[in-house]
Amino acid sequence: MQTELDSYFNSIIENVNLEIRKFVRSDIKTLEEASLHLFSAGGKRLRPLVLVSSSDLIGGDRQRAYKAAASVEILHTFTLVHDDIMDRDYLRRGLPTVHVKWGEPMAILAGDYLHAKAFEVLNESLKGLDAETFYKAFSLFVKSIEIISEGQAMDMMFENRDDVTEDEYIEMIKKKTAMLFSCSAGLGAIINKANDEVIENLLQYGLNLGISFQIVDDILGIIADEKELGKPVYSDIREGKKTILVIKTLREAKESERKIILSVLGNKDAKKDELEKVAEIIREYSLKYAYDLAEKYSDLAIRNLSKIPVSNETAEKALKYLAQFTIKRRK
């Protein structure tokens, strides 16, 4: 089955990459280079895989899906460029971040350019569809950007709090990360005029997959090495991110351990050995709990999938695999 899925995924990625390169062009070469920088670093293209597989699942139009998938990946990359500026990260996918290589002003412009390009490509993907379908797709895309912005704001505000609850964390990652997975799956259905029940189940599939993905991303931030991760190790601890691992540990650790964590969490000048000590405490209290929680949401995503009539069995296998992959990945 893996060979079948590898071939299936590679075909999607190649075609989506072609669409991205076709649209992300500029007469200003520096702007074009800065805008394309993170695409050239690779990336898993998970959101395009979700969108095209969702479209295939219901027997959809591949060419239209490739464009819609490119629009989602361009939007995602815009958020990464601006996130890296906000978080002062110097590495992304193993390469210098856009603001490190070209400076903050050009990085902000590259993000703005990608934001506009995402709408241009989405518009092309919807060409020829009826007004109601166009409205549904555009509304979902716009709403997703609003919700992602809210999630990013919550994430930043949580850095200044030590009392963030698990429910607040789940709400934040639903908005910041899971919403674009949900948008991807939902668009795959909408652009092919699926009924409301199918659209809703795919939206929920994407949402649950995205929650699982972000929990594992937070886990990798304290167990992966920098080469695997492609970004600075322990950066979440240094920035004071209130991940599920931190929340669980602060809730259950001894007072002496809490003091150690709180003295390092959010300390931009923390030394490597201090960060490693905090990561060790966090792993002890929360690693299994976080993995179990990620698995719960992965299972929910697969359950959402089981409610949808299948037109393409390879696409169904692909979507199940993507839900399971989120909890098995190492980077």
Side-chain angles (χ1 to χ4, degrees):
M1 183 179 88
Q2 195 53 50
T3 307
E4 177 193 4
L5 286 184
D6 285 344
S7 172
Y8 180 77
F9 289 147
N10 287 339
S11 171
I12 293 171
I13 290 167
E14 283 170 20
N15 281 281
V16 171
N17 285 345
L18 283 172
E19 293 294 337
I20 290 168
R21 292 198 167 273
K22 187 164 79 180
F23 282 95
V24 183
R25 289 182 176 173
S26 172
D27 293 336
I28 313 301
K29 285 302 160 193
T30 304
L31 178 61
E32 182 178 308
E33 286 167 10
S35 300
L36 283 171
H37 178 61
L38 291 184
F39 296 113
S40 65
K44 293 174 282 293
R45 304 288 189 263
L46 287 179
R47 294 152 193 84
L49 292 176
V50 166
L51 194 153
V52 178
S53 300
S54 297
S55 171
D56 283 353
L57 184 74
I58 57 173
D61 178 339
R62 260 291 176 100
Q63 295 308 313
R64 197 181 289 283
Y66 288 146
K67 285 186 171 63
S71 74
V72 166
E73 188 67 7
I74 292 167
L75 179 69
H76 171 57
T77 305
F78 144 69
T79 68
L80 298 183
V81 173
H82 281 192
D83 280 2
D84 287 340
I85 296 168
M86 286 182 267
D87 293 340
R88 299 283 181 243
D89 279 340
Y90 60 86
L91 275 181
R92 168 76 67 176
R93 296 171 181 166
L95 291 181
T97 48
V98 178
H99 70 276
V100 165
K101 190 160 183 178
W102 282 278
E104 277 191 24
M106 184 57 72
I108 291 167
L109 281 171
D112 292 346
Y113 192 69
L114 290 170
H115 187 258
K117 284 290 176 184
F119 279 95
E120 181 185 352
V121 184
L122 178 69
N123 194 42
E124 284 298 317
S125 77
L126 302 175
K127 192 174 181 180
L129 291 174
D130 61 277
E132 180 62 24
T133 304
F134 194 100
Y135 174 78
K136 271 187 186 176
F138 234 79
S139 296
L140 176 60
F141 199 74
V142 171
K143 193 67 184 170
S144 297
I145 298 170
E146 293 171 8
I147 290 171
I148 291 164
S149 302
E150 290 174 352
Q152 179 67 9
M154 289 173 75
D155 192 25
M156 289 169 64
M157 290 187 294
F158 286 175
E159 290 173 19
N160 300 314
R161 286 177 50 195
D162 298 329
D163 61 346
V164 177
T165 66
E166 187 171 320
D167 285 347
E168 287 178 309
Y169 165 81
I170 294 294
E171 183 62 21
M172 181 269 287
I173 65 171
K174 266 186 187 177
K175 289 174 177 284
K176 182 186 171 183
T177 301
M179 187 60 214
L180 196 52
F181 280 98
S182 182
C183 174
S184 300
L187 278 176
I190 290 169
I191 62 173
N192 294 296
K193 303 184 186 180
N195 65 44
D196 288 345
E197 188 179 351
V198 169
I199 292 169
E200 184 56 32
N201 276 309
L202 278 168
L203 286 168
Q204 288 303 312
Y205 162 83
L207 197 70
N208 286 317
L209 182 152
I211 293 169
S212 177
F213 177 89
Q214 184 58 56
I215 292 169
V216 175
D217 221 45
D218 293 342
I219 292 169
L220 293 174
I222 65 156
I223 66 167
D225 63 35
E226 196 162 291
K227 194 174 177 184
E228 274 185 324
L229 206 56
K231 62 182 181 180
V233 72
Y234 305 144
S235 61
D236 284 354
I237 297 172
R238 186 181 274 112
E239 289 157 19
K241 298 289 185 188
K242 299 308 183 299
T243 67
I244 187 61
L245 299 107
V246 169
I247 292 165
K248 173 82 160 47
T249 303
L250 287 175
R251 196 167 67 212
E252 297 191 2
K254 299 171 194 165
E255 189 53 38
S256 59
E257 292 168 323
R258 276 177 55 87
K259 281 181 181 172
I260 292 169
I261 294 166
L262 292 173
S263 70
V264 175
L265 199 62
N267 179 359
K268 305 288 193 286
D269 301 318
K271 296 181 176 65
K272 191 175 181 186
D273 62 330
E274 293 174 319
L275 292 165
E276 282 174 349
K277 175 64 179 170
V278 169
E280 187 184 321
I281 297 168
I282 291 171
R283 285 194 291 267
E284 182 187 339
Y285 279 95
S286 63
L287 202 54
K288 183 181 184 307
Y289 182 82
Y291 268 123
D292 287 348
L293 193 61
E295 193 159 0
K296 173 188 141 185
Y297 282 102
S298 170
D299 290 345
L300 284 172
I302 292 170
R303 207 176 303 165
N304 294 131
L305 208 54
S306 70
K307 299 173 184 175
I308 302 168
V310 174
S311 292
N312 182 319
E313 287 184 6
T314 305
E316 182 188 29
K317 286 177 195 169
L319 290 167
K320 280 183 181 173
Y321 173 82
L322 290 171
Q324 291 158 345
F325 167 76
T326 60
I327 52 175
K328 291 175 184 169
R329 66 199 178 92
R330 307 305 302 168
K331 59 183 178 175

